[in-house]
Amino acid sequence: AAGVIQSPRHLIKEKRETATLKCYPIPRHDTVYWYQQGPGQDPQFLISFYEKMQSDKGSIPDRFSAQQFSDYHSELNMSSLELGDSALYFCASSFLVSGGLEKDEQYFGPGTRLTVT
Amino acid sequence: GQSLEQPSEVTAVEGAIVQINCTYQTSGFYGLSWYQQHDGGAPTFLSYNALDGLEETGRFSSFLSRSDSYGYLLLQELQMKDSASYFCAVREKDENQGGKLIFGQGTELSVKP
């Protein structure tokens, strides 16, 4: 079965540079989420898109932006990189469930490990 | 604000049973999920409880008590491969009906021979 694809898997950047992370959700999934996970930390929600529209926003720095394209892939753009941005960045996709009883399963990609030096 | 609390680490032996507890405080609540994450890997979904009671999936079971804002993950017949971090996560109810997950800090389970 198709899974969430993320690219690149590893990325090394210097401070103040920019980075673009890409995510290809599972076909027919309508919602994409971005999470940031620092070493030894839990995943922190950054931003989500439902049907190509931003649906929710979490602790995403103003230096970061994201969008979802017509083919449903999503990109996370990060500018003016800081050492503290070094983390694993996960993209997840799912069918949006509007109620509360449906199984709420998000499928996570393998992540992009960003190292800022 | 939202917060979830779970033990930071648990150690058990192969074949044993272990329970990982999770308490939560959220402004809105749809349900409680559990995710497993091996070191350096992606979180993978284990279970979801929207209603009170026990959900069983093979060796793993999950329980929820909405009145107590409490849930747990029960792992039976532990195997070495179960050594991983386990996160409880709350799907928040918000006006956009978004599905963002708020994760707990994670419980690192070590299974010893």
Side-chain angles (χ1 to χ4, degrees):
Chain A
V4 176
I5 297 171
Q6 291 187 247
S7 68
R9 293 292 308 277
H10 301 272
L11 191 57
I12 300 175
K13 291 285 185 178
E14 295 187 354
K15 283 192 302 184
R16 293 180 287 279
E17 286 191 318
T18 61
T20 297
L21 279 54
K22 296 185 179 183
C23 169
Y24 298 85
I26 292 173
R28 292 183 291 281
H29 277 190
D30 54 17
T31 308
V32 167
Y33 311 84
W34 285 96
Y35 294 89
Q36 177 193 58
Q37 187 176 29
Q41 305 291 315
D42 57 291
Q44 294 287 316
F45 171 75
L46 293 177
I47 195 167
S48 63
F49 294 87
Y50 169 67
E51 286 291 345
K52 293 162 281 184
M53 299 290 291
Q54 181 181 310
S55 58
D56 210 342
K57 203 169 181 180
S59 51
I60 183 169
D62 292 340
R63 300 177 289 107
F64 294 6
S65 65
Q67 56 183 321
Q68 188 176 27
F69 295 86
S70 58
D71 64 352
Y72 287 87
H73 95 272
S74 179
E75 295 184 2
L76 178 66
N77 299 291
M78 311 159 71
S79 63
S80 303
L81 286 169
E82 302 174 356
L83 295 178
D85 296 329
S86 296
L88 261 173
Y89 290 83
F90 289 106
C91 171
S93 73
S94 73
F95 288 113
L96 178 65
V97 291
S98 58
L101 299 184
E102 301 92 336
K103 187 175 72 170
D104 177 44
E105 180 172 358
Q106 293 187 12
Y107 295 80
F108 283 74
T112 295
R113 184 174 295 280
L114 172 66
T115 303
V116 182
T117 62
Chain B
Q2 316 89 3
S3 69
L4 294 92
E5 291 193 15
Q6 52 181 127
S8 58
E9 55 185 33
V10 172
T11 302
V13 297
E14 266 188 305
I17 299 173
V18 71
Q19 178 174 312
I20 300 174
N21 298 320
C22 175
T23 58
Y24 59 87
Q25 283 186 314
T26 61
S27 54
F29 180 80
Y30 267 140
L32 187 69
S33 301
W34 288 91
Y35 283 77
Q36 178 193 60
Q37 185 178 31
H38 286 96
D39 196 29
T44 56
F45 175 85
L46 292 177
S47 68
Y48 176 70
N49 295 70
L51 301 176
D52 287 357
L54 193 67
E55 294 281 340
E56 298 182 70
T57 310
R59 294 187 298 113
F60 295 176
S61 303
S62 59
F63 171 83
L64 176 67
S65 168
R66 294 175 70 113
S67 60
D68 295 323
S69 298
Y70 163 76
Y72 66 73
L73 178 69
L74 190 73
L75 299 88
Q76 303 182 71
E77 300 173 18
L78 281 174
Q79 302 175 8
M80 297 294 288
K81 68 178 182 179
D82 296 330
S83 293
S85 291
Y86 292 83
F87 294 91
C88 58
V90 166
R91 178 168 171 254
E92 281 201 322
K93 181 183 293 186
D94 61 49
E95 60 185 20
N96 296 320
Q97 295 192 333
K100 70 179 181 187
L101 292 173
I102 307 299
F103 286 86
Q105 292 292 311
T107 298
E108 187 173 345
L109 172 64
S110 297
V111 180
K112 307 293 186 186

